[in-house]
Amino acid sequence: MTKISSLLKLLLFLIFAGWLSVWLLKPTQLWTKTWKLAEKKASASFLTQSGLNFAVYTFPVIAIAIVGFVYLALKQKEPISRKGRSSLSVLSNPVVVNKYIGILSGFEILAVCLFVIFLAWTFYVRISNDFKKMVPMKSFTLSVWQYRVFRVATRSGLLAETCLALLLLPILRGMSVFRILGIQFEASVRYHIWLGTAMILFGTLHGGGTLLIWGIKHHLGDEMWRWQKTGRIYLAGEITLLTGLVIWITSLPQIRRKRFEIFYYTHHLYIVFLVFFLFHTGDRHFYMVLPGFFLFCLDKILRMIQSRPETYILSARIFPSKAIELTLPKDPRLTYAPTSVIFIKIPRISNFQWHPFSITSSSKVDKHTISILIKAEGRWTSTLCNMLHSKPDSEAGEMRFFQVATEGPYGPSSMDFLRYDSLLLVAGGIGVTPFLSILQEIASTRSSKNVLPIKIQLVYTTKDSQGICLLDPVLPYVFDAEQHYLQLKVFVTREHQSNRSLQEVLNEVPKIQNIHFTNNRPGHAIYGLENLQWMSVLILVVSVVFLAFLIISNHVFIKPDKKSSEQKTATSVVDILLICSFALALISGTLVATIWRWKRLREEIPSFSEKESKAMTPTGANRVFDQHEIHYGARPNFKDIFSQLANESKGSNIGVFVCGPETLKESVATTCQLISNGFQSGGQDHKPFFSFHSLNFSL
């Protein structure tokens, strides 16, 4: 199996290298001449020019997804081994920590630099060729500077196209190709933001520069409303730019955080944006951006199918710190890695709002249920909390009956945190949620022969003492005398007390309220995503169907010129045929996915009983508090914490995981950077290596 994984990894590299080579060679004259010959041969063959464009520009990314999912499926079955050090490990740690751009690792900075160099290379090659020709448009009679401005504006549009080609890949969930690199969609969302901002910038330069030249030459009114039969359709480009600006403006933090509904609905204008982008650029350019849209549509379809039918809340626990824990039924066969998230929609609150929440339970501990922890801070979560606090009446069952739709769980393909010798978990407030699943996972496999961290330290900061109750799901493991590998350090920042032990604080924390829901209606457990091999097959089937419809429609409706191999058919007709072929392929994929899902859901929901839920209250006989600390009125000194852990774990690999407010992440990242640099410059024989990881908590 290891040999097969290595071969698949090599195949992935070769496909990616080939796809990247196409992007690098595309601006050159060599590629232009070669591609014209290839198009001429393809137009006379069964493949057609459209089939050639799909095979060269689109399919490589789809092939990466197909092979990548098979690779991830095999990787999940490989035994866990210790994470060895390498020269590239340093690149995974923070290099830049800034409150405006966030925390950037060496890999991210390297990737951004290479992407910028690629954009510069593409722009330079094309614009230098344009300036060498210097053939002004006769209809415009442009001067030298006007021609140069016009060509710069035109080539800026190609840079926007490059950003658009990658724009949708970071926000894929089930179909995410970033999982091959170990990056989850929660962490890659910022790449989507960066690419979207760059695309709008280049698109504005493209449109603004073009409109400027039109206005100077008094052709603005004539050119703006042109919908020509062949070539670029200018009106479609203007609609594309206007739609993109609306999407970008409404996604700014000032609007997204205060008016989420506006952000949510305007983002669905991406369909209008992409359709008119196709009409503006033509099908040849659209095949470059099609892979992301192709995978995004499949991802969306699978998510819609998975969210139906709906499930129900089995029980809820209300914490005194304005937090609630919901328990939902789960298929016993469903397994997920710790730090996974699940998307929740409650129709009684909103039929459209989906919210991601970190899973606090472990699939090895809870076979039949899945739990999430929610902090009542926003409008949606506060409404849910108020509904749970409502007084029961004679129709308590109906009043407190909650129907829930779910998507996910989405999480890492493997449990890499087990590969470290030691773990430092730093959490702030509700940011402790992903660590609850990690601790339960480790505790449940402690008796097995799996490789596990020998030392774990959890540093938890909270505003008041009531926030400590969020640790309730893992308190049995924290205070078990046999779990000596685990150390807890609690920092209560807004309270000032002295000589208080952790046991005394826990005894004074208000009790947690438990609510059980009675439900006599039929329902389904959470079945989770389809397996990775099945998704690979689905992608391949939809790709073949799309290519078949595309080739057939081209042979029937498009008639190329035998002398020049150019198409006589109107450009908009070619674009419509592409849209229809794509729609038919998606319909076929939807039918296959629906039938497959229906077969899985024929089984009834597993019965749930209190015996199947794990006991949350630790027994007093095995409680030990000496190794655990609680501090009032102070924030953690991460420099001392890192140094102490480094001295205790000489020569080992230490995984640093942080989840909480951005200020907390930046503080931990800065300390990790300083401590790591100090050990690298020191003369110790056994240098511990810190590997930094930033996690996202429920939104």
Side-chain angles (χ1 to χ4, degrees), residues 129-144 147-148 150-151:
N129 291 332
D130 292 339
F131 286 177
K132 288 177 182 178
K133 297 177 182 178
M134 292 299 293
V135 180
M137 300 174 64
K138 295 181 180 180
S139 58
F140 279 13
T141 61
L142 300 178
S143 62
V144 174
Y147 176 79
R148 288 181 175 178
F150 191 80
R151 298 313 300 171

Side-chain angles (χ1 to χ4, degrees), residues 438-477:
I438 288 178
L439 295 177
Q440 292 183 76
E441 184 78 22
I442 293 176
S444 65
T445 57
R446 202 71 195 176
S447 58
S448 64
K449 296 181 180 180
N450 292 336
V451 177
L452 295 173
I454 57 177
K455 185 177 181 60
I456 302 175
Q457 188 172 110
L458 173 60
V459 179
Y460 178 54
T461 62
T462 178
K463 296 178 181 179
D464 49 52
S465 300
Q466 291 186 350
I468 303 176
C469 64
L470 297 181
L471 297 173
D472 187 75
V474 295
L475 288 181
Y477 313 117

Side-chain angles (χ1 to χ4, degrees), residues 72 107 125 169 175 246 344 375 454:
L72 290 175
F107 280 119
V125 172
L169 295 178
M175 289 285 178
V246 171
I344 298 292
K375 187 68 178 290
I454 57 177

